[in-house]
Amino acid sequence: MEKYTLFDEIGGGGGAYGKVYKALDTVSTEDVAVQVISVELGVPSTVTREISALKEMHHPNIVRLRDVEHTENQMFLVFEYLHINFKEYMDSIPDFANNPLTIKGFLHQILRGVAYCHAHEVLHRDLKPQSLMIDKDTNTLKVANFGLVRALGVPVNTYKSEVDTPCYRAPEMLLGSPNYLSSGDVWSIGCIFAEMVNQKPLFRGESEINLSKHIFSILGTPDEDNWPVATSSPKPKFRRQHPKDLATFVPNLDPVGVNLLSKMICTDPIRRITARDALEHQYFKELMQQVCFPAQNS
Amino acid sequence: WEDEELSTLLSKQESNQLCKKLEVNPSLARVRVEAVDWMLKVNAHYSFNGLTAVLAVNYLDRFLFSFQFQSEKPWMTQLVAVSCLSLAAKVEETQVPLLLDLQVEDSRYMFEAKTIQRMEILILSTLQWKMNPVTPLSFLDYITRRIGLKDYLCWEFLKRC
């Protein structure tokens, strides 16, 4: 680790799951972000898989893993340094939502990064505005901390206490599905999409049950045949509710956008749109080949 | 995009650079044969996938090529072999035996878990964490999908490779 000089601890996207420090690469003199992971009990299989996947992932919308270093008991993942996360970015620009093209541009970037990862069979598992990073110089959005959440084997109770709200978790996960699939990531992107439009999270709830209730109060309670989790254990009871008109919950979104959103936050994970298919949706047709961005402070 | 997948496979495949080294170094070749032999036995013992065996041998060859190896220390080869197999199982298998349990089939030396874990890290960093190489099985998998073998048939076929 002589090559890097560690500075302050930074929140970054994954601060809760292994300390992340801002650091200086003394050879290239570039800023980097260093995540420190304990390997006293060996390198877990998930870390092995995810790092080898990240090593091969080269995409403009995925944060770059530059280097992996280790000592006897610790591993250091060296990432490119990015200025701020997407939550901070949205908060810093109050009229962010005024230009639909800005929203389209960022949503398209998230989907491109995530579709690339899904094609490489890597799942993120904790997409939220805080885990997306922004390069302010180019307005490029990069998905960060891919797959490392579960890889680090964070116990569920730690997870709950350190993440203020499970706002972006898919209903099948809230209802206890044991398997995380790529569709779970798409749900989270749908939530982020709605948050860009509304400037606040679409679904809220202090607990997983409250959040599920809120989701079903808008999208309708799934019936027996469409229950998002295959389970033999007793299902929690939810009041029967019919789906409401999603457009009324995202008043500033045009009908094509509402159509895409409804496909991304489909309660049935099997019928939910894939990231790859979402990229082809009509909503993005104006983006043409080059993603357009307004000047930052316009 | 299917052609795109094939060209990605072709561009990512790498030749086994150890071959030349083995030709001029018969003692290394002997050591390797023993290690591969043992790894295949354990692979069969635990009914691991074919790909696990292929990966374990791939890691072993790449490590032997990149690392200044002391073949006069036979325990070293055994340590590398058990670590490569453990890493391959971690990458490919859903159930991985404990490190002590992995050392079956007349293992000449027994290593503590801690020792194997350290060797694993050395191998991971020597191989630059590239643990998903293109293997012959990658092409078989591609071909079976391309000619449209149904999922189950395809799986059965690959399992028997």
Side-chain angles (χ1 to χ4, degrees):
Chain A
M1 276 302 288
E2 298 89 43
K3 195 177 156 193
Y4 304 98
T5 311
L6 260 54
F7 300 124
D8 296 343
E9 191 179 331
I10 45 176
Y17 314 106
K19 288 187 173 167
V20 181
Y21 298 87
K22 185 177 179 180
L24 177 72
D25 179 336
T26 52
V27 177
S28 69
T29 70
E30 285 172 287
D31 286 337
V32 292
V34 176
Q35 184 161 19
V36 185
I37 299 170
S38 162
V39 288
E40 274 185 62
L41 299 172
V43 186
S45 58
T46 37
V47 172
T48 312
R49 285 182 205 176
E50 312 278 4
I51 294 182
S52 60
L54 269 173
K55 274 282 211 182
E56 286 181 45
M57 290 204 285
H58 303 286
H59 192 276
N61 299 114
I62 294 172
V63 69
R64 192 161 68 91
L65 177 63
R66 294 165 54 115
D67 198 3
V68 180
E69 297 230 355
H70 63 86
T71 62
E72 205 169 292
N73 297 320
Q74 286 181 311
M75 249 167 52
F76 303 90
L77 309 190
V78 184
F79 291 95
E80 64 180 315
Y81 180 77
L82 294 157
H83 308 94
I84 52 172
N85 71 45
F86 194 45
K87 171 92 176 76
E88 296 161 338
Y89 181 83
M90 285 195 285
D91 290 346
S92 70
I93 303 171
D95 56 358
F96 176 85
N98 292 357
N99 188 339
L101 262 186
T102 309
I103 294 176
K104 279 179 213 229
F106 280 120
L107 181 61
H108 204 251
Q109 292 194 70
I110 304 171
L111 284 167
R112 281 205 305 261
V114 173
Y116 179 88
C117 290
H118 288 177
H120 287 72
E121 292 173 8
V122 178
L123 308 178
H124 191 288
R125 303 186 177 101
D126 192 30
L127 282 168
K128 53 189 176 187
Q130 292 89 334
S131 55
L132 307 169
M133 302 300 290
I134 301 290
D135 180 339
K136 282 201 289 191
D137 300 332
T138 57
N139 269 349
T140 307
L141 178 148
K142 293 176 190 250
V143 179
N145 301 301
F146 229 91
L148 283 173
V149 176
R150 205 176 77 181
L152 294 176
V154 180
V156 175
N157 51 4
T158 323
Y159 178 83
K160 276 182 188 157
S161 63
E162 290 184 351
V163 178
D164 16 328
T165 155
C167 272
Y168 308 92
R169 304 198 92 192
E172 63 272 19
M173 301 316 297
L174 297 172
L175 298 173
S177 167
N179 300 316
Y180 194 98
L181 302 171
S182 57
S183 45
D185 282 346
V186 175
W187 173 279
S188 307
I189 303 172
C191 296
I192 297 169
F193 178 21
E195 185 164 338
M196 282 194 263
V197 176
N198 290 349
Q199 301 284 283
K200 59 177 193 219
L202 179 61
F203 302 122
R204 286 160 184 273
E206 298 293 307
S207 64
E208 301 194 341
I209 280 297
N210 282 341
L211 181 61
S212 306
K213 281 182 187 159
H214 191 213
I215 291 172
F216 296 153
S217 76
I218 296 174
L219 301 176
T221 315
D223 55 32
E224 288 287 315
D225 298 335
N226 295 316
W227 198 251
V229 193
T231 172
S232 49
S233 54
K235 299 181 178 88
K237 290 265 179 272
F238 287 98
R239 196 159 59 86
R240 189 96 195 83
Q241 300 204 64
H242 292 291
K244 299 199 175 74
D245 182 7
L246 185 60
T248 58
F249 295 90
V250 276
N252 298 321
L253 189 61
D254 63 40
V256 187
V258 174
N259 179 279
L260 173 59
L261 179 63
S262 70
K263 289 178 172 171
M264 296 178 81
I265 55 170
C266 170
T267 39
D268 182 355
I270 307 293
R271 289 188 298 129
R272 204 172 294 152
I273 195 169
T274 63
R276 198 186 167 100
D277 287 345
L279 283 169
E280 308 291 320
H281 194 273
Q282 274 286 308
Y283 178 67
F284 297 114
K285 75 171 194 285
E286 303 136 80
L287 279 184
M288 314 295 285
Q289 294 221 296
Q290 193 64 44
V291 181
C292 323
F293 295 104
Q296 197 181 317
N297 294 317
S298 65
Chain B
W1 65 277
E2 286 171 327
D3 288 336
E4 192 186 311
E5 195 184 337
L6 182 60
S7 57
T8 310
L9 282 179
L10 288 170
S11 68
K12 276 175 67 186
Q13 67 174 349
E14 283 169 21
S15 62
N16 189 334
Q17 295 171 291
L18 187 71
C19 292
K20 283 191 192 123
K21 211 169 163 180
L22 290 178
E23 278 171 23
V24 296
N25 188 345
S27 70
L28 183 64
R30 202 175 51 246
V31 159
R32 177 187 178 270
V33 167
E34 279 173 19
V36 171
D37 199 40
W38 178 82
M39 290 198 294
L40 292 181
K41 277 188 197 158
V42 181
N43 209 77
H45 180 99
Y46 283 107
S47 306
F48 286 159
N49 285 313
L51 182 55
T52 307
V54 172
L55 287 178
V57 176
N58 174 289
Y59 301 162
L60 176 75
D61 285 355
R62 282 160 63 207
F63 186 74
L64 292 181
F65 175 77
S66 336
F67 206 70
Q68 271 309 332
F69 203 71
Q70 297 162 299
S71 47
E72 70 273 16
K73 291 184 184 165
W75 60 266
M76 189 85 169
T77 328
Q78 178 60 28
L79 178 57
V80 174
V82 67
S83 307
C84 284
L85 189 60
S86 155
L87 285 171
K90 279 186 188 181
V91 169
E92 191 50 34
E93 298 293 330
T94 42
Q95 295 284 337
V96 183
L98 293 174
L99 288 171
L100 282 176
D101 296 341
L102 206 54
Q103 304 179 74
V104 291
E105 299 291 334
D106 300 327
S107 214
R108 274 199 289 166
Y109 306 88
M110 287 293 275
F111 301 99
E112 284 179 30
K114 188 85 196 155
T115 315
I116 300 172
Q117 283 158 2
R118 279 193 206 166
M119 181 50 96
E120 281 181 7
I121 294 184
L122 179 62
I123 295 171
L124 287 166
S125 60
T126 307
L127 304 188
Q128 298 177 317
W129 291 84
K130 290 183 178 162
M131 312 313 279
N132 298 312
V134 172
T135 67
L137 293 187
S138 323
F139 288 94
L140 281 174
D141 176 61
Y142 170 79
I143 293 162
T144 47
R145 276 185 288 120
R146 191 77 193 252
I147 60 178
L149 287 183
K150 290 273 178 277
D151 281 350
Y152 175 73
L153 259 178
C154 175
W155 183 78
E156 263 302 297
F157 174 68
L158 284 173
K159 211 175 69 164
R160 289 170 192 210
C161 287

